[in-house]
Amino acid sequence: MQLSTIPKEETGIELTARQLTIIDLIKKQGPITGEQIAENLGISRPTIRSDLSVLVMLGYIDAKPKVGYFLGKVMTSEGQLNEKLLSLKVKDVMYRPVVIEESATVNDAVISLFVENVGMLTVTDEQGSLVGLVSLKDLLKVTLGNPNAASIPISMVMTRVPRIVTITPEDSVLEAAKRMLHHHVGGLPVVKIQDDGNRYEVVGRITKTSLTQAWVDLTSGAIAQ
């Protein structure tokens, strides 16, 4: 019999071989009574009582009086998708960062935005640490009606640290979505905090587009957990 593969990290508990066998049996024959499960396994009903209790508690199976045991929400496609969404991390879906140095001009920033086809640029200092963020909206504000805008230093236009909302690679995608919604922004720079705790290394970016792509990939099975 081929046993179900259920990653330990989804529950924090590693199922036994008998518990996995019970899940497979219910998947194939459910709804099925406890007596029928025990009979299929060639053991007594009391022997599997604790196994059934654990599986019900974890959501792998469920039971109704006079009906028997059937698959729980964790084993349904909807439940598995929900588990994957909750366990998905920023590092799994982030894009590479599009970076410009703070010594650059507004003209440089405009060119980078159009060449890279992005909505925001991460601004770094000479050491490569995050110092600011500039969006298409920021550039439009300074360029419209200003013939000298092209030569303005990007440092005069950007939003500076610590007003920037960031996220780390190990944070969940759900947390990234919450921060974007709360702060009304279309994307976040993904950073690693450097040793002194006051500087950030830019390692990626996550946007509404990458969140949408992650959802599409999950529902189509393109992201394996």
Side-chain angles (χ1 to χ4, degrees):
M1 177 182 292
Q2 183 179 1
L3 301 182
S4 300
T5 301
I6 302 173
K8 177 180 178 181
E9 57 268 21
E10 288 191 9
T11 63
I13 298 175
E14 187 172 7
L15 301 183
T16 66
R18 187 164 67 194
Q19 289 166 350
L20 291 171
T21 302
I22 290 172
I23 292 174
D24 274 337
L25 188 60
I26 294 173
K27 183 177 181 179
K28 294 174 182 176
Q29 300 185 27
I32 183 173
T33 66
E35 289 74 14
Q36 290 171 325
I37 294 172
E39 183 180 349
N40 273 273
L41 298 178
I43 54 181
S44 65
R45 173 67 172 83
T47 304
I48 61 171
R49 184 174 290 120
S50 61
D51 293 317
L52 293 172
S53 297
V54 168
L55 293 175
V56 169
M57 179 185 67
L58 294 176
Y60 288 114
I61 64 173
D62 205 344
K64 288 183 178 180
K66 299 182 181 181
V67 175
Y69 292 93
F70 49 91
L71 291 180
K73 63 180 182 179
V74 171
M75 295 302 296
T76 64
S77 58
E78 181 180 350
Q80 291 175 342
L81 178 60
N82 186 56
E83 287 289 330
K84 289 179 180 179
L85 279 172
L86 292 176
S87 63
L88 203 61
K89 293 186 177 182
V90 169
K91 65 181 179 181
D92 299 321
V93 302
M94 68 182 188
Y95 296 152
R96 67 174 180 83
V98 180
V99 179
I100 192 169
E101 292 189 358
E102 62 179 332
S103 58
T105 64
V106 166
N107 184 66
D108 297 326
V110 170
I111 292 173
S112 294
L113 278 176
F114 280 97
V115 169
E116 298 288 348
N117 192 27
V118 294
M120 68 176 188
L121 298 173
T122 304
V123 186
T124 61
D125 60 17
E126 293 179 352
Q127 288 73 45
S129 298
L130 176 68
V131 293
L133 200 68
V134 63
S135 67
L136 178 58
K137 185 177 180 180
D138 295 326
L139 295 174
L140 285 174
K141 285 181 180 179
V142 74
T143 54
L144 289 177
N146 186 350
N148 301 315
S151 60
I152 296 175
I154 201 63
S155 58
M156 301 290 291
V157 179
M158 68 184 186
T159 300
R160 292 182 175 273
V161 174
R163 293 176 57 202
I164 299 172
V165 184
T166 62
I167 198 82
T168 74
E170 296 300 324
D171 283 322
S172 68
V173 168
L174 180 60
E175 175 61 26
K178 286 180 177 179
R179 292 187 191 182
M180 278 188 256
L181 288 171
H182 180 73
H183 295 279
H184 304 286
V185 294
L188 303 172
V190 184
V191 300
K192 288 184 178 179
I193 301 174
Q194 296 176 338
D195 294 338
D196 59 10
N198 296 317
R199 301 178 70 82
Y200 304 94
E201 176 191 358
V202 181
V203 296
R205 61 188 170 92
I206 185 168
T207 65
K208 290 179 180 178
T209 300
S210 54
L211 291 178
T212 303
Q213 185 65 55
W215 170 256
V216 172
D217 290 343
L218 274 176
T219 53
S220 63
I223 295 181
Q225 295 291 305

